[in-house]
Amino acid sequence: MKNKALKRLIFGLLALPVCFSLFSFTIITPAKNDTVVNKGFKLKTIIVDAGHGGAPTGTGHFSHGASGSFSTERGVTLAIALKLQKAIEKELNKVKVVLTRSTEDDVSWERRSEIANENRGDLFISLHCNSLSDRVVREVVGHKHGRAIYKSVRVPNRSGKGVLLLVYGLHRTREEEKAISKNQLEGSEGEGEGAEMNAGLDPNDPESIILINQYKSKFRQRSIHLANLINTEFTETDGRQSEGIREQGVLVLCHSAMPAVLVETGYINNPDDEAYLNSEKGQDEIVSTLVRALKNYKDEVEQVVK
């Protein structure tokens, strides 16, 4: 190989165990820890994404997300994101947090990914609130000629409760490959895990293709591992109910060229969860949970794990 730095990094990445899930939209089993990590790698930048938002001034577009009886997803996620930014920068030494939005205004998913990639993020955390669609049931509304007359009606489904962690589905890997190619190979400027490839490499070159695939495997493994760390903190430390970890085709995750996890912090259309999500206690507990998991993740990726 012409590029010795590339060769060393490929061999280093090849030593990483590859973790693949067999099914989409299913609970994922815990991934093994990295046994080898990039020498000298430091977790420097975390992207915190507050899901959804209101209509920017002068536009007709907005995506407030799910709604509860007195609150919206856009408001809850922003409140938690702002608290999480402060907590991470206080508790995690020399880690910078970049918010994809810091106001009520909405930001498109494309721009959210761009912000993550432009800032050379090492990790992407997207905050959301879950909700269940109304159920359709049939009710008797009268009788005619001795027979019941039925009508289909929509009934709110407030049975959902607890947290859910999402990672991108395998059917989105081509989109992630493009993001990695652009941001880890073409866009390296001396920082982040792609710094050694700042040599004008061709993404269509076999060497680069090998490297892209190894980044993809590593990012997926680390995404699943972080999701497991977060889920463990929620369930074992906080005692919260969890639906586990699932794959979904979340565009903002697969277009961010870094490990990425979406956290459904609770069901906003469940009265108990909504009250918790809007309380100072609930928001502070969620932030503390995420910070604990991130500390564990940082310790692991910055050193050899045996």
Side-chain angles (χ1 to χ4, degrees):
M1 294 183 181
K2 296 180 181 179
N3 191 306
K4 292 183 179 179
L6 172 61
K7 185 176 181 180
R8 290 197 305 270
L9 188 52
I10 288 177
F11 285 142
L13 290 168
L14 283 170
L16 290 169
V18 179
C19 176
F20 288 103
S21 174
L22 297 177
F23 303 101
S24 294
F25 301 95
T26 187
I27 294 178
I28 299 175
T29 55
K32 294 181 180 179
N33 293 343
D34 285 354
T35 54
V36 177
V37 297
N38 288 358
K39 184 178 180 181
F41 170 73
K42 296 294 182 183
L43 183 65
K44 296 179 180 179
T45 305
I46 297 176
I47 312 298
V48 174
D49 174 48
H52 302 281
T57 304
T59 72
H61 169 73
F62 76 102
S63 176
H64 62 70
S67 298
S69 62
F70 63 89
S71 64
T72 61
E73 182 175 10
R74 68 179 180 184
V76 170
T77 58
L78 180 59
I80 295 174
L82 292 170
K83 290 184 177 183
L84 182 58
Q85 179 188 33
K86 292 180 180 179
I88 290 173
E89 293 183 341
K90 179 181 178 181
E91 300 293 334
L92 276 68
N93 186 37
K94 296 182 180 179
V95 174
K96 178 180 72 173
V97 173
V98 175
L99 297 175
T100 59
R101 72 178 178 96
S102 57
T103 69
E104 289 289 334
D105 286 355
D106 193 18
V107 178
S108 69
W109 70 260
E110 295 95 338
R111 182 57 191 149
R112 293 169 192 262
S113 294
E114 287 174 358
I115 291 170
N117 296 327
E118 287 169 359
N119 284 277
R120 309 294 297 162
D122 299 306
L123 203 57
F124 186 92
I125 307 291
S126 189
L127 302 171
H128 286 256
C129 298
N130 224 335
S131 181
L132 290 177
S133 300
D134 293 345
R135 293 179 297 171
V136 177
V137 298
R138 298 183 70 198
E139 291 184 350
V140 177
V141 295
H143 293 81
K144 185 176 183 180
H145 304 305
R147 293 184 178 180
I149 301 173
Y150 293 91
K151 179 182 179 180
S152 295
V153 296
R154 303 184 70 87
V155 178
N157 185 356
R158 300 188 175 92
S159 62
K161 189 175 181 64
V163 299
L164 171 66
L165 288 303
L166 301 179
V167 297
Y168 72 88
L170 285 173
H171 62 293
R172 292 288 188 186
T173 53
R174 287 187 179 274
E175 292 161 276
E176 194 205 15
E177 287 170 6
K178 291 180 181 179
I180 291 172
S181 174
K182 180 178 179 180
N183 295 284
Q184 294 291 345
L185 299 186
E186 300 171 18
S188 299
E189 298 179 353
E191 294 184 3
E193 295 194 66
E196 293 190 62
M197 278 70 66
N198 190 18
L201 297 174
D202 179 4
N204 296 315
D205 182 80
E207 293 177 354
S208 298
I209 292 172
I210 293 172
L211 187 57
I212 290 169
N213 285 331
Q214 295 308 312
Y215 267 118
K216 183 174 64 175
S217 296
K218 180 174 67 172
F219 290 168
R220 178 173 172 78
Q221 177 185 352
R222 289 188 175 178
S223 298
I224 294 171
H225 183 58
L226 175 59
N228 274 289
L229 289 174
I230 295 171
N231 191 57
T232 298
E233 291 295 335
F234 272 131
T235 57
E236 296 185 7
T237 304
D238 297 341
R240 294 197 66 197
Q241 185 173 319
S242 173
E243 295 181 0
I245 303 162
R246 299 180 188 174
E247 297 177 341
Q248 278 195 16
V250 182
L251 292 171
V252 73
L253 297 185
C254 65
H255 283 264
S256 300
M258 63 202 69
V261 176
L262 188 150
V263 183
E264 296 280 10
T265 55
Y267 279 85
I268 198 168
N269 70 334
N270 175 296
D272 293 336
D273 269 12
E274 183 181 17
Y276 181 80
L277 292 171
N278 282 275
S279 68
E280 289 292 326
K281 177 179 180 292
Q283 292 178 4
D284 290 345
E285 284 186 358
I286 291 168
V287 167
S288 295
T289 292
L290 295 174
V291 169
R292 289 194 305 271
L294 289 169
K295 281 183 177 179
N296 291 334
Y297 177 88
K298 183 176 185 292
D299 289 343
E300 291 177 2
V301 299
E302 290 185 354
Q303 62 184 345
V304 175
V305 179
K306 298 180 180 180

